[in-house]
Amino acid sequence: MIDIQNITKVYNTKNGKLTAVDNVSLSINKGEIYGIIGYSGAGKSTMIRLLNGLEKPTTGSVIVGGQDIAKASGAKLREARQKISMIFQHFNLLWSRTVEENIAFPLEIAGVSKADREKRVEELIELVGLKGRGKAYPSQLSGGQKQRVGIARALANNPEVLLCDEATSALDPETTDSILELLLDINKNIGLTIVLITHEMHVIRKICNRVAVMEAGKVVEQGDVLQVFQHPQAPITKNFVSQASGETQETQASLEQILANYPEGKIAKLTFAAATTEQPVISQMIKQFDVVVNIVHGKISNTTGGSFGTLFIHIDGEPKAVAEALSFLAKQEIQAEVIEHV
């Protein structure tokens, strides 16, 4: 559906050239939810503008639905954009129009008849869970309801691709989850390809099939979400995964305290698949290798590709017994990373 090949975007600024996107290649399959994550300044916003043709790459190609957006202009670009819709962090609704009128707006521009507009608007209001709110104005809606209007409006012209630019960043956690569930339902029910830009790994974990991690304009890591969570490679990815896995400042403080008080032991971060969670692996390890284990922190998280768990433990005992215990864990398909410092 989307094929990005070696795109680079360079801006000329008063301070010289600024490379916002640096030789990025991505392939996004039809019907999947693909996440692009990075902190502010990583190049995410430029990427999304390249995808919808608002920016032209300095080099490279952006193929959407078989058409190179980077080379299209005029009528061809307008035609290509009809396949691509977008929702925004701050909703971008027309405040003088009702919910129905906001959703109908792109249909009006496309020249759809009034009868067909009304039918389509009614379908979309039902789809996004706003039945009974069609006559309301944006000022009368909650943040989550406003974003639902934004989603309905984005779907009005039956796009093939939906771009989400930090679509949940202005919402509270509970509302964020409800909007993510809505996007997941839409993806499953109509097979819409969704590209989601965010700085929150929780959002990626919740609904994305695959993810690309951006830093300083480059993609530093990409792959299936479950794989990336279980085996993060880049330092920035490890940081994102730690946050999404609930590793709080209190967890870090506990690890530091144990490292200071028991320097002879080992702290290990265990990462395991869902099937392993039901096995008494830790009990077996303690019995077999004469080690003392203290559990510091643990959590099981869900992704669209399956569940995974993380567990921080402190292992104490004779060095040989500790080494054998860690080796035992590896044989149980549990990844054990020894933490030397926090």
Side-chain angles (χ1 to χ4, degrees):
M1 172 54 70
I2 300 174
D3 190 29
I4 300 168
Q5 290 297 325
N6 306 113
I7 60 168
T8 294
K9 179 62 181 179
V10 179
Y11 293 100
N12 292 313
T13 71
K14 62 181 180 181
N15 297 320
K17 293 184 181 296
L18 173 66
T19 303
V21 175
D22 190 358
N23 194 31
V24 168
S25 294
L26 294 174
S27 181
I28 299 171
N29 300 322
K30 181 177 176 61
E32 78 172 329
I33 304 180
Y34 195 96
I36 299 175
I37 188 170
Y39 291 119
S40 180
K44 308 185 306 297
S45 295
T46 302
M47 277 287 294
I48 208 166
R49 291 173 67 85
L50 291 167
L51 283 173
N52 62 17
L54 290 175
E55 295 279 1
K56 297 288 188 182
T58 306
T59 59
S61 62
V62 183
I63 311 296
V64 180
Q67 187 164 356
D68 193 344
I69 299 290
K71 294 179 180 177
S73 61
K76 286 189 175 182
L77 180 57
R78 289 192 294 273
E79 181 183 349
R81 281 179 177 164
Q82 288 180 357
K83 300 177 183 178
I84 306 168
S85 231
M86 191 163 172
I87 58 174
F88 306 88
Q89 178 180 359
H90 297 296
F91 321 124
N92 287 15
L93 301 180
L94 300 170
W95 294 88
S96 61
R97 287 179 170 242
T98 65
V99 168
E100 291 175 342
E101 291 167 343
N102 266 282
I103 297 170
F105 186 63
L107 297 172
E108 291 177 32
I109 295 174
V112 176
S113 69
K114 183 179 179 181
D116 288 342
R117 288 202 307 267
E118 290 176 349
K119 182 181 179 182
R120 180 63 175 154
V121 168
E122 186 179 350
E123 291 172 354
L124 290 167
I125 285 177
E126 181 78 27
L127 178 67
V128 301
L130 287 176
K131 192 172 182 179
R133 302 295 286 161
K135 304 297 182 185
Y137 288 88
S139 60
Q140 300 171 307
L141 304 177
S142 67
Q145 289 172 329
K146 290 172 188 171
Q147 194 57 284
R148 288 173 184 268
V149 177
I151 293 169
R153 181 183 60 185
L155 298 178
N157 279 321
N158 294 301
E160 296 178 6
V161 177
L162 178 64
L163 305 178
C164 305
D165 187 9
E166 298 280 7
T168 59
S169 294
L171 306 175
D172 62 76
E174 185 175 349
T175 306
T176 290
D177 283 349
S178 71
I179 294 298
L180 294 177
E181 289 291 345
L182 174 60
L183 291 173
L184 194 57
D185 287 343
I186 290 170
N187 168 259
K188 288 179 178 178
N189 291 333
I190 64 177
L192 185 66
T193 303
I194 299 176
V195 181
L196 196 148
I197 305 292
T198 184
H199 65 275
E200 300 172 298
M201 201 64 166
H202 163 75
V203 172
I204 301 293
R205 178 182 65 79
K206 190 84 176 176
I207 67 169
C208 292
N209 306 114
R210 292 190 297 142
V211 62
V213 183
M214 289 193 71
E215 185 176 28
K218 294 179 177 292
V219 170
V220 297
E221 190 164 350
Q222 59 180 301
D224 293 340
V225 169
L226 181 59
Q227 178 187 10
V228 168
F229 265 86
Q230 288 182 312
H231 307 288
Q233 301 299 313
I236 187 173
T237 311
K238 292 180 180 180
N239 190 37
F240 276 128
V241 169
S242 294
Q243 293 172 0
S245 299
E247 294 172 27
T248 63
Q249 290 183 345
E250 287 80 4
T251 305
Q252 302 296 314
S254 296
L255 295 176
E256 289 175 354
Q257 188 71 38
I258 292 173
L259 281 171
N261 293 342
Y262 304 98
E264 68 281 3
K266 298 283 187 183
I267 286 183
K269 178 181 179 179
L270 311 183
T271 306
F272 48 90
T276 317
T277 61
E278 299 178 2
Q279 305 300 319
V281 177
I282 301 298
S283 297
Q284 292 173 5
M285 181 183 71
I286 293 171
K287 291 178 180 178
Q288 188 169 340
F289 299 102
D290 192 24
V291 291
V292 177
V293 176
N294 178 32
I295 295 175
V296 181
H297 171 82
K299 184 176 181 180
I300 296 175
S301 302
N302 297 313
T303 74
T304 55
S307 301
F308 74 99
T310 54
L311 185 70
F312 283 91
I313 62 173
H314 178 259
I315 310 178
D316 202 358
E318 293 294 327
K320 182 181 178 182
V322 170
E324 289 175 341
L326 292 173
S327 178
F328 167 80
L329 291 175
K331 293 177 182 177
Q332 310 305 311
E333 297 184 355
I334 296 175
Q335 181 182 354
E337 177 188 358
V338 175
I339 308 296
E340 299 293 347
H341 57 82
V342 180

